[in-house]
Amino acid sequence: MRTVLYLCLAGAGLWGSEARADDDYVTCESRNDRYQSCPISTSAYVTLDRQLSSTSCVQGRSWDYNRREIWVDDGCRATFRVHTSSSGHHDGNKDAKVAAGVLIGAAILGAIAANADKKDNKYDDDRYQGPRHTSYVPGWMIGTFEGYNPMYNSDVTLTIDSDGRAKARSGGQTVNGWINDGRLNVGNTTFDIDQSRDGLVTSQVGDRHNEVRYRRVR
């Protein structure tokens, strides 16, 4: 569990509304309307910063991203913002961020028993455009959910937005993450998300004993 909590410290930053100098910017171009992929230096949330082509760049259709790269197609050329500043590594108040990361990390990753009522189909939605649409967020993931970590006697609130941004709150502290390829990413740690009867269940990739069950509240 200590290793898992350490990995979660990378998720202790806050999403900023303004561009940060330490974010990465990647320009990727589809030449002759062909597919092109552009590597990114770190796993992070990605947004289109500036379209450079006359051809529209539509997320899920002519561009998208995963943990390793951004891809473009059909003539899209654009500069993309890789939100590396959200990791919190550049925050001057290191002790506060470490404390927040440990608290939220423990709450999100606390082990909890069985999820027999999981559903397998994550993409039962007309908005899904196919396997290249890795940033797609199915409707059942969108909303606010509440969970409980009995090990730390801590309530957790998890909010997932339609644009893929995720935020977990516990004990007055906040950790941010993002959805990609049907998974929740918190810093360097990744969780599968499965639909349950009344909400969702997160389970850490590589350690299926670390699961939290959430109930939808809105």
Side-chain angles (χ1 to χ4, degrees):
M1 177 65 77
R2 288 181 181 177
T3 300
V4 172
L5 295 181
Y6 174 78
L7 290 173
C8 267
L9 297 182
L14 298 178
W15 292 109
S17 58
E18 299 179 356
R20 290 276 299 270
D22 43 21
D23 283 346
D24 290 336
Y25 291 84
V26 176
T27 298
C28 202
E29 178 179 5
S30 166
R31 296 181 179 178
N32 299 319
D33 293 339
R34 293 182 179 178
Y35 174 92
Q36 177 66 45
S37 64
C38 302
I40 55 179
S41 60
T42 186
S43 173
Y45 184 75
V46 174
T47 55
L48 190 152
D49 182 66
R50 187 160 63 99
Q51 181 175 305
L52 304 174
S53 59
S54 57
T55 303
S56 295
C57 295
V58 180
Q59 190 167 359
R61 294 184 180 178
S62 56
W63 80 273
D64 219 320
Y65 73 100
N66 57 33
R67 295 176 65 86
R68 299 173 299 279
E69 63 188 16
I70 300 166
W71 64 264
V72 291
D73 206 349
D74 298 329
C76 171
R77 180 173 182 265
T79 298
F80 300 91
R81 178 184 173 192
V82 183
H83 294 251
T84 56
S85 63
S86 64
S87 67
H89 290 305
H90 306 284
D91 193 296
N93 192 353
K94 181 178 178 181
D95 292 339
K97 292 300 182 186
V98 169
V102 169
L103 177 60
I104 295 291
I108 291 176
L109 297 177
I112 200 168
N115 351 303
D117 55 350
K118 288 181 181 179
K119 297 181 181 179
D120 293 330
N121 188 358
K122 295 184 178 183
Y123 303 114
D124 186 15
D125 194 315
D126 292 339
R127 295 182 298 113
Y128 182 54
Q129 299 169 29
R132 296 200 306 176
H133 193 181
T134 49
S135 63
Y136 169 77
V137 183
W140 60 265
M141 283 188 194
I142 301 169
T144 299
F145 305 85
E146 290 182 348
Y148 175 70
N149 174 21
M151 183 180 297
Y152 290 86
N153 190 29
S154 182
D155 295 317
V156 190
T157 300
L158 173 65
T159 299
I160 300 176
D161 296 331
S162 59
D163 64 2
R165 301 192 189 209
K167 180 176 294 186
R169 298 183 181 90
S170 182
Q173 304 289 354
T174 301
V175 157
N176 297 277
W178 70 98
I179 303 297
N180 190 265
D181 201 19
R183 289 172 164 177
L184 170 64
N185 300 272
V186 180
N188 295 321
T189 307
T190 305
F191 302 87
D192 282 328
I193 306 180
D194 292 281
Q195 187 176 14
S196 66
R197 186 177 300 117
D198 57 356
L200 52 82
V201 178
T202 60
S203 56
Q204 184 193 353
V205 174
D207 187 355
R208 299 298 175 181
H209 295 291
N210 283 325
E211 297 178 341
V212 172
R213 179 181 297 274
Y214 291 92
R215 177 180 60 86
R216 177 182 291 278
V217 293
R218 59 180 180 271

